Amino acid sequence: MTIDEITGRVATLSVRPRVLLLTELNGAGQQTALLEAAGGTPCLSLADKPDVLLLALPDLSLDDAEEEAFDLAELPGWFDLPCVKGGDCYLLDAAQIEDTERATWILATILHPDLFTEMLPAYSVRMFPPELYKKPDDDA
């Protein structure tokens, strides 16, 4: 699917989720044009209260990136973020965002699964583990 086809599908969306794409745990949001093309509203940091969080750590496997993601749960206010409350935090194979067209399609599929129903590449995306969505002292 081309970028033009993707942007054409998302052009009429009235609601665009706020999205933060991190390529470093302590970094600022990245890939603004990519997120916009995929139908999202880019966030620059967790302070922007994203609806969707994407963590793509270069040079790490998804398993290793998942281990790093646990550091995010230590941040003040983590469990109050819309992306955490809504269960919309994803690990993304960083190699998948090196090709702009492929990255736009993958991100659009994550953000708008009702518009982009094609299967994502195996091992390219994974949801954060359940324990990162629930405060340790929560009973339910």
Side-chain angles (χ1 to χ4, degrees):
M1 180 169 289
T2 68
I3 292 176
D4 287 341
E5 290 171 325
I6 296 165
T7 57
R9 280 194 199 180
V10 300
T12 60
L13 292 172
S14 58
V15 177
R16 291 174 174 249
R18 295 181 318 271
V19 184
L20 178 60
L21 172 58
L22 292 177
T23 56
E24 298 176 21
L25 283 180
N26 298 323
Q30 307 261 332
Q31 308 287 349
T32 300
L34 179 67
L35 293 172
E36 288 173 348
T41 300
C43 292
L44 299 178
S45 72
L46 288 172
D48 293 334
K49 299 185 179 184
D51 300 309
V52 178
L53 173 64
L54 301 159
L55 183 61
L57 300 177
D59 303 320
L60 292 182
S61 69
L62 286 180
D63 289 337
D64 291 338
E66 183 175 295
E67 289 300 317
E68 295 293 320
F70 278 88
D71 291 345
L72 293 171
E74 302 295 323
L75 297 172
W78 169 257
F79 294 101
D80 296 321
L81 292 170
C83 58
V84 175
K85 286 183 172 184
D88 286 316
C89 300
Y90 302 87
L91 299 161
L92 178 62
D93 179 358
Q96 299 293 326
I97 61 171
E98 293 174 3
D99 177 302
T100 304
E101 193 166 279
R102 182 178 182 84
T104 304
W105 167 68
I106 289 172
L107 295 176
T109 302
I110 293 168
L111 300 177
H112 306 288
D114 52 325
L115 291 177
F116 300 91
T117 58
E118 300 86 359
M119 179 82 75
L120 288 172
Y123 308 106
S124 62
V125 178
R126 181 188 302 172
M127 300 218 33
F128 274 30
E131 49 273 36
L132 291 179
Y133 295 109
K134 182 179 166 188
K135 289 182 185 176
D137 57 349
D138 283 351
D139 292 278

